[in-house]
Amino acid sequence: MEKPWVIGITGASGAIYGVRLCAYMLSEGHDIHVLITDAGWRVLKEELGWDVSHRQEALKAHFGGYKGTYRYHPIQDIGGLTASGSFRSKGLIVIPCSMGTLSAIAHGASDNLLERTADVMLKEGRPLILVPRETPLHAIHLENMLKLAKMGVRIVPAMPAFYHGPQKLEDAVDFIVGKVLDCLELEHQLYKRWGEVDERDETARTDRTN
């Protein structure tokens, strides 16, 4: 059986990034385990309009029906599957990652299942990717990110690019999700890479020269 990815969603603004990553990986047939903090559920409600009064039903409405499968673990279940190094997973992505969660990970806290899972990834030497969404950043934020980067954690700030010509919000979101997938070495076509020729651009160029 193929090992799953673990995806965490925290209370930082930008819940759409985590939802998009989950949906994309499921659409590609990957199996995922989902961890959402209490603050993360609040942001899903406030930013995306999710009905979070029944959490399992909310997840089924958004993540059901794909090729891949998902499994949800309550954040306070400190004994959940992902809390053990003996549970085989490919790695953990926390997207978006609040500065509170990032700080807890940097200092080895394990007060909830997401923090414990991150600790497991570090001790087992598995991929750990954090997508912080905060601005401006003060010295403690930067020091914590540097500390984790020195430990091999990939820090992928939610900083959309514009060279690929985004036309709508989804394009900017897909760029960040695509950068995460790049870190996981998973193939995708979520954004046009630098130097790539878009078919529409090539058609327009041909029309102009004919």
Side-chain angles (χ1 to χ4, degrees), residues 34 144 192:
V34 181
N144 286 337
K192 184 174 64 174

Side-chain angles (χ1 to χ4, degrees), residues 50-97:
W50 280 30
D51 179 359
V52 300
S53 57
H54 298 90
R55 295 179 175 182
Q56 291 284 6
E57 286 80 355
L59 289 170
K60 184 177 181 180
H62 291 87
F63 297 153
Y66 287 104
K67 290 190 295 183
T69 62
Y70 74 90
R71 181 166 179 179
Y72 169 66
H73 302 275
I75 197 68
Q76 298 305 329
D77 183 10
I78 200 65
L81 282 178
T82 62
S84 174
S86 64
F87 174 71
R88 303 297 300 278
S89 65
K90 290 182 177 180
L92 167 65
I93 309 99
V94 184
I95 176 172
C97 183

